[in-house]
Amino acid sequence: MSETPYGTGAEWPSTPGSMVACNACLAQEDAHRLAAAAMVCAACGNHIRVGARTRLEWTADPGSFVEWDGDLLAEDPLRFVDKVSYPTRLAEARKKTGELDAIVTGRGSILGLDVALGLFEFGFMGGSMGSVVGEKLFRLFAHAEREHLPVLVVTASGGARMQEGTLSLMQMAKVTVAVEHFRRERLPYVTLLADPTTGGVAASLAMQGDIILAEPKAQIGFAGPRVIEHTIGMALPPDFQDAERLLERGLIDAIVPRAEQKALLHALLWALTASRTTGRKRARVGRTRRRPAEQSPRATGTVWEIVKQSRRRGRPGTAVALRLAFDRFIELRGDRAYRDDPAIRAGIAWLDEQPVVVVGQERGETAAEQERCNFGMAFPEGYRKAVRVMELAERFRLPVVTIVDTPGAYPGPGAEQRGQAGAIASALGRMAGLEVPTVSVVLGQGGSGGAMALALADRVLMFENATYSVISPEGCASILWHSSERAPQAAEALKLTAGDLLRFGIVDEILPEPPPGGEVELGFARTLRAAVARHLRELRALGGDPIERRAARYERMGTFRELPHASGARSERPMAKGTLVTGGLK
């Protein structure tokens, strides 16, 4: 029996009886069984480190990979010597791994989709990034840009290569320049962070992906635990830099087990390149015809009863829509700065075989979920997540669908200190400036600016028992009547029902709700799906400038009258794009 120690990154033994010890639980398993399980420990689920060539076999279709720039050799610009010389270390690493340096790059396909691939080899000097790694990555993005290919990079690295000094540090800048140049082509760049991804690799290309995925329990961070403990003298918890912790902190999009990686990578890369590759033709559909108010579905009961219906526990919400109204939903999490706010869910979904971006307010289905989702009241980081995913949609020309269902943005001290008003303003600005079609559906409660942040859309649809208002009836009653008990009266006065808002031109269509009993959730989902798909088809067919069209829509919002022009007073309105707005009463 032979054993291969964990953590070398070298290929695993294949002789009969070979055993591999898991680094996490120390269980020893047969190498053949482990290989069949993608090197995932059966005892504890640990994703054992593997070499670049092994990962390539899992990721690329058989026979599809063509290597690029495999003949580059590192030099010794510093004449660096520690216990041994740098050339000696390079020679040892080449012998151990069979690679010339710490990354393999080339072109391959994933389930038939052509992709430019970069895979780090941790067994080669800890996957450190020196001049050769930087050059191969730079060329990878250049090749991909010329051939119009998406890029996938799988990282496993301790960071910059000390033996090349500041030249190694400069590779962070070199690769970042390549990434940003590549972005101009509106091609996707996805990173998959394996254990470990630290140092200069983490602080540059690993965290620069349009979508950032990670393997379970992967160590991800800038400074390694030993560096932190040595520098600041602080003991760290064992899971301090685990992928799971980073997901909670909003720094990565998803954690993906190896068994699911290939299919998920294909789906994401296909979705983000769909506008280039599907050759869609615009549907021949006329402009939207808003249904007259008298022909629209009518909610029954008093306004206050409609308010209670919109808040009813058990009323289908965003979770139901994501589960039943779309063909598939891949969630993207986090604001990449502070944390992941579960009150807003965002990601890529499929509707009639076409990818769309969906952003929805989540109030939770059970009592525990409602507590976790803060009853749908988002924090600033929730709105920043929404903005981030909307920007992804615009970059890859995907329509945006938003689902509104919130009593309002969270008004607590923490939210205020982290910039709640600015986060909502950013979401509004992003929606106003999107160059892709947008459809918003008010599913339950549309509470104030917290709802408006996701509802500045080309088309706004509203379920018949939903509400949409500048303030809650209780809040209005407390301010104006000095008694929250007057909330029913305030609800009547606020004109917050779908019928009222259709008459004001705020809502484009009222969606009927299924009767109580039976498959209520499925009824909601089918109605939402059909309406959104129809409006997206119509919007795609319109052509022209969506920002100009959106500006014209919202210019009509509001009622006012002008005073007769007194001597010296003038009032002007812009008549064309670029006209200076002046005037008012003097």
Side-chain angles (χ1 to χ4, degrees):
M1 181 183 74
S2 63
E3 281 187 24
T4 298
Y6 162 83
T8 64
E11 303 307 302
W12 299 102
S14 57
T15 55
S18 295
M19 302 296 287
V20 174
C22 172
N23 70 298
C25 69
L26 303 181
Q28 294 188 6
E29 296 192 54
D30 179 76
H32 287 283
R33 195 217 65 79
L34 269 176
M39 302 306 294
V40 176
C41 176
C44 70
N46 177 46
H47 283 49
I48 299 171
R49 293 176 190 166
V50 296
R53 301 287 172 176
T54 295
R55 190 176 291 277
L56 183 59
E57 290 179 9
W58 299 339
T59 306
D61 297 334
S64 69
F65 184 72
V66 177
E67 187 166 357
W68 289 333
D69 306 306
D71 55 355
L72 303 186
L73 289 171
E75 294 184 339
D76 185 14
L78 309 185
R79 302 294 185 264
F80 194 97
V81 179
D82 47 88
K83 294 179 181 178
V84 298
S85 68
Y86 181 34
T88 300
R89 290 203 181 277
L90 288 170
E92 291 172 348
R94 289 167 187 152
K95 181 178 180 181
K96 181 174 73 170
T97 63
E99 304 294 345
L100 294 184
D101 216 294
I103 193 168
V104 175
T105 61
R107 172 179 182 150
S109 63
I110 300 176
L111 299 178
L113 179 69
D114 289 337
V115 181
L117 295 163
L119 304 104
F120 274 75
E121 172 57 73
F122 186 74
F124 194 105
M125 298 185 68
S128 54
M129 182 165 66
S131 296
V132 168
V133 172
E135 178 66 17
K136 291 182 75 170
L137 284 165
F138 191 94
R139 295 187 188 187
L140 174 75
F141 284 99
H143 284 308
E145 188 173 336
R146 282 193 299 271
E147 299 187 27
H148 304 290
L149 297 174
V151 173
L152 167 66
V153 174
V154 184
T155 60
S157 172
R161 187 169 296 175
M162 294 176 288
Q163 290 85 350
E164 294 187 23
T166 308
L167 286 171
S168 177
L169 188 66
M170 289 302 103
Q171 303 313 305
M172 296 171 65
K174 181 174 182 172
V175 177
T176 298
V177 168
V179 170
E180 291 307 312
H181 196 279
F182 174 78
R183 286 190 198 284
R184 300 188 309 175
E185 291 297 310
R186 294 180 183 257
L187 286 161
Y189 169 40
V190 175
T191 56
L192 173 59
L193 282 49
D195 180 60
T197 296
T198 59
V201 169
S204 58
L205 67 124
M207 302 301 286
Q208 289 169 344
D210 297 304
I211 295 176
I212 303 173
L213 310 173
E215 290 196 327
K217 298 295 182 183
Q219 179 196 350
I220 304 164
F222 179 53
R226 281 185 294 179
V227 173
I228 296 171
E229 290 173 358
H230 178 75
T231 304
I232 65 175
M234 179 184 291
L236 301 172
D239 62 347
F240 172 65
Q241 293 177 320
D242 280 3
E244 287 74 10
R245 183 72 65 92
L246 268 67
L247 188 66
E248 293 174 6
R249 297 298 183 213
L251 302 178
I252 60 177
D253 285 292
I255 295 172
V256 190
R258 283 179 184 161
E260 302 171 17
Q261 286 173 10
K262 189 169 185 175
L264 182 68
L265 287 167
H266 172 266
L268 287 172
L269 292 168
W270 184 89
L272 297 181
T273 55
S275 64
R276 285 174 168 268
T277 58
T278 56
R280 298 182 199 141
K281 295 182 179 179
R282 284 180 176 164
R284 295 184 178 180
V285 184
R287 286 184 170 271
T288 301
R289 295 181 179 178
R290 181 181 296 163
R291 283 197 253 174
E294 64 271 18
Q295 295 179 12
S296 300
R298 286 288 189 174
T300 58
T302 67
V303 172
W304 186 241
E305 287 170 341
I306 293 172
V307 169
K308 290 192 287 185
Q309 272 290 319
S310 73
R311 300 172 174 178
R312 177 178 59 84
R313 184 174 174 179
R315 179 181 177 86
T318 293
V320 168
L322 295 177
R323 191 166 60 242
L324 298 177
F326 299 93
D327 301 319
R328 183 182 182 184
F329 176 67
I330 299 175
E331 187 161 10
L332 305 176
R333 292 174 57 179
D335 65 343
R336 299 271 177 93
Y338 181 73
R339 76 172 184 120
D340 180 56
D341 184 357
I344 287 188
R345 297 184 67 185
I348 298 173
W350 277 256
L351 183 63
D352 293 340
E353 299 184 353
Q354 297 295 336
V356 298
V357 160
V358 182
V359 181
Q361 289 157 330
E362 178 61 75
R363 52 185 167 79
E365 296 183 279
T366 65
E369 288 174 355
Q370 287 178 339
E371 192 75 27
R372 186 177 67 86
C373 297
N374 204 31
F375 300 90
M377 295 184 288
F379 286 81
E381 47 270 25
Y383 293 111
R384 292 184 180 119
K385 172 169 63 174
V387 168
R388 180 177 74 81
V389 178
M390 288 177 198
E391 289 173 345
L392 190 77
E394 180 163 71
R395 178 164 147 70
F396 299 110
R397 300 182 178 93
L398 300 179
V400 173
V401 178
T402 63
I403 301 171
V404 174
D405 190 8
T406 179
Y410 184 63
E416 291 297 318
Q417 291 165 2
R418 295 197 295 277
Q420 185 71 289
I424 292 171
S426 294
L428 284 168
R430 185 66 276 174
M431 288 208 75
L434 285 173
E435 296 183 356
V436 295
T438 56
V439 174
S440 181
V441 181
V442 184
L443 191 55
Q445 296 181 76
S448 192
M452 183 75 253
L454 297 189
L456 200 164
D458 300 322
R459 303 284 169 81
V460 179
L461 320 178
M462 191 169 174
F463 277 91
E464 59 185 315
N465 284 315
T467 58
Y468 191 11
S469 177
V470 67
I471 192 172
S472 70
E474 292 86 348
C476 177
S478 296
I479 293 170
L480 299 181
W481 280 275
H482 303 288
S483 171
S484 60
E485 293 179 1
R486 305 290 290 275
Q489 185 177 348
E492 292 273 359
L494 285 167
K495 300 292 186 287
L496 44 67
T497 66
D500 293 322
L501 299 177
L502 185 71
R503 286 191 293 274
F504 286 134
I506 293 170
V507 169
D508 295 281
E509 183 178 346
I510 301 175
L511 305 181
E513 298 184 15
E519 297 182 320
V520 173
E521 289 186 352
L522 190 57
F524 265 92
R526 284 174 173 166
T527 299
L528 186 149
R529 177 191 177 94
V532 168
R534 173 165 43 83
H535 281 276
L536 285 179
R537 286 195 301 270
E538 293 170 355
L539 288 167
R540 286 192 187 103
L542 291 179
D545 185 343
I547 298 177
E548 289 292 327
R549 206 164 49 242
R550 206 170 292 132
R553 169 189 169 86
Y554 286 94
E555 182 185 17
R556 296 191 296 268
M557 300 291 177
T559 60
F560 57 88
R561 64 186 179 89
E562 295 187 23
L563 293 174
H565 288 183
S567 177
R570 63 196 179 98
S571 178
E572 297 180 8
R573 288 180 65 79
M575 299 301 293
K577 184 177 180 180
T579 304
L580 179 66
V581 181
T582 62
L585 294 177
K586 292 186 178 179

